[in-house]
């Protein structure tokens, strides 16, 4: 998963770059049924109803590209919609950068995009402006990306897990988790890095990882052993690698690790409140919900 980028030093001179418990839904609200028997293969454990595997793809020795990069792809769903909006917003940023700030691509932006002034104009996170009443900057960074490489990396991860998590948790719960985690990431970044200008959906994506950890904890006893241990390993590796990458500066020193941490923590807590319990009668269910709320 690429990282949220602090872009306060992108410039032409090339300086350093700075619902708990609802049944999963399909599409924009269609009811999801059963345990996805179309993914079940001989010799594999049957998945519990309401759970969509993050690991399994279509049959065959060589899965289709869609199964590898965007499994369970659907046109009419939030993941497709938000991805399209983020692509459009980068195009708009490039146009604004060219017309208003002299360049669509600047040397100081290694992600392949415009200057920090462009992103500040378009709604990047910047605490002094938020303190002046521009509270929409808690949300708008989710739609913006520092450049083509930044957007491509985030879209890859978003599409790899987004369609599946949306089916697992339901449309409304997924949207709430995505935006609340993103807002939490911006809030934490304001506390820890108040003077940086930053954009990106990575806080929301870290939030999805946090929410998935909560989902695994709540449903641990109901998931097949191989399934849950492999998924837990994948999630933890993704989080640890990205934090290590952010700690070293990612090669350009402009990664907002505080936003990643904020998104992860907010997503983890939100996950207890909004991701689904596979067994609603679980006696610990009410305690999980209390932890989330």
């Amino acid at each position: 998963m690429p990282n949220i980028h602090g872009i306060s030093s992108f410039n032409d001179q090339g300086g350093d770059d700075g619902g708990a418990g609802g049944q999963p839904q399909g599409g924009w609200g269609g009811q999801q049924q059963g345990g996805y028997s179309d993914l079940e293969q001989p010799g594999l454990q049957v998945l519990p109803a309401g759970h969509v595997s993050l690991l399994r793809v279509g049959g065959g020795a060589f899965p289709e590209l869609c199964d590898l990069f965007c499994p369970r792809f659907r046109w009419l769903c939030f993941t497709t919609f938000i991805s399209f909006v983020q692509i459009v917003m980068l195009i708009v940023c490039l146009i604004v950068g060219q017309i208003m700030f002299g360049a669509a691509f600047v040397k100081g932006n290694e992600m392949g995009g415009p200057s920090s002034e462009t992103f500040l104009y378009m709604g990047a996170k910047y605490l002094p402006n938020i303190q002046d009443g521009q509270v929409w900057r808690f949300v708008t960074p989710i739609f913006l990306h520092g450049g083509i490489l930044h957007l491509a990396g985030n879209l890859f991860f978003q599409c790899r897990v987004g369609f599946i998590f949306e089916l697992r948790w339901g449309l409304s719960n997924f949207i709430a988790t995505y935006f609340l985690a993103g807002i939490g990431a911006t809030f934490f970044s304001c506390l820890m890095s108040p003077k940086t200008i930053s954009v990106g959906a990575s806080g929301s994506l870290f939030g999805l990882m946090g929410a998935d950890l909560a989902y695994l904890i709540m449903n641990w006893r109901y998931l097949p052993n191989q399934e849950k241990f492999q998924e837990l390993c994948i999630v933890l590796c993704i989080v640890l690698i990205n934090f290590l990458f952010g700690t070293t500066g990612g090669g350009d020193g402009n990664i907002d690790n505080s936003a990643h941490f904020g998104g992860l923590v907010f997503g983890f807590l939100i996950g207890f409140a909004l991701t689904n319990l596979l067994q609603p009668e679980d006696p610990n269910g009410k305690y999980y919900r209390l932890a989330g709320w």
Side-chain angles (χ1 to χ4, degrees), residues 14-158:
D16 293 336
D17 299 351
Q23 289 298 319
Q25 301 167 352
W28 285 101
Q31 193 70 18
Q32 183 59 48
Q33 301 293 332
Y36 295 87
S37 59
D38 56 319
L39 292 181
E40 294 167 10
Q41 302 174 22
L44 296 178
Q45 290 180 275
V46 177
L47 300 178
H51 175 74
V52 189
S53 176
L54 185 65
L55 310 176
R56 304 181 186 194
V57 294
F62 300 98
E64 297 179 359
L65 287 179
C66 186
D67 286 329
L68 289 174
F69 294 106
C70 47
R72 288 288 175 176
F73 171 80
R74 303 174 311 287
W75 285 108
L76 295 179
C77 69
F78 175 75
T79 301
T80 302
F81 173 76
I82 193 67
S83 299
F84 176 76
V85 170
Q86 289 163 346
I87 293 171
V88 170
M89 288 306 300
L90 178 59
I91 295 172
V92 172
C93 286
L94 294 174
I95 294 172
V96 170
Q98 181 65 45
I99 294 175
M100 298 186 62
F101 299 97
F105 300 94
V106 297
K107 294 180 180 178
N109 186 344
E110 296 181 5
M111 292 292 104
S115 65
S116 59
E117 289 82 3
T118 301
F119 291 110
L120 188 61
Y121 178 81
M122 292 298 296
K125 166 258 166 181
Y126 186 55
L127 182 58
N129 285 4
I130 293 174
Q131 291 173 327
D132 287 339
Q134 300 179 23
V135 293
W136 58 84
R137 291 182 185 271
F138 279 113
V139 179
T140 48
I142 298 172
F143 301 98
L144 305 174
H145 286 82
I148 294 173
L149 295 179
H150 189 198
L151 175 65
N154 270 0
L155 285 183
F156 168 76
F157 189 81
Q158 184 165 276

Side-chain angles (χ1 to χ4, degrees), residues 212-274:
D212 192 46
L213 287 175
Y215 172 84
L216 290 174
I217 290 172
M218 290 194 299
N219 298 295
W220 190 257
R221 70 180 68 181
Y222 308 116
L223 296 171
N225 284 333
Q226 182 178 5
E227 171 91 9
K228 61 191 180 187
F229 282 111
Q230 286 182 346
E231 181 165 337
L232 178 63
C233 182
I234 289 172
V235 172
L236 291 179
C237 285
I238 289 172
V239 171
L240 289 175
I241 289 172
N242 277 273
F243 273 123
L244 290 174
F245 186 74
T247 301
T248 60
D252 54 17
N254 63 6
I255 293 173
D256 192 349
N257 231 11
S258 58
H260 297 166
F261 182 76
L264 180 68
V265 172
F266 273 80
F268 182 69
L269 295 175
I270 293 166
F272 285 112
L274 295 181

Side-chain angles (χ1 to χ4, degrees), residues 148-228:
I148 294 173
L149 295 179
H150 189 198
L151 175 65
N154 270 0
L155 285 183
F156 168 76
F157 189 81
Q158 184 165 276
C159 292
R160 183 62 184 83
V161 302
F163 296 106
I164 293 174
F165 288 168
E166 190 172 337
L167 282 172
R168 277 187 185 179
W169 307 335
L171 176 63
S172 59
N173 290 344
F174 180 81
I175 293 175
T177 301
Y178 189 91
F179 281 109
L180 289 175
I183 293 170
T186 302
F187 175 78
F188 201 77
S189 177
C190 287
L191 293 178
M192 303 303 296
S193 306
K195 300 301 182 181
T196 62
I197 300 171
S198 58
V199 295
S202 298
S204 294
L205 298 181
F206 266 86
L208 295 182
M209 291 292 94
D212 192 46
L213 287 175
Y215 172 84
L216 290 174
I217 290 172
M218 290 194 299
N219 298 295
W220 190 257
R221 70 180 68 181
Y222 308 116
L223 296 171
N225 284 333
Q226 182 178 5
E227 171 91 9
K228 61 191 180 187

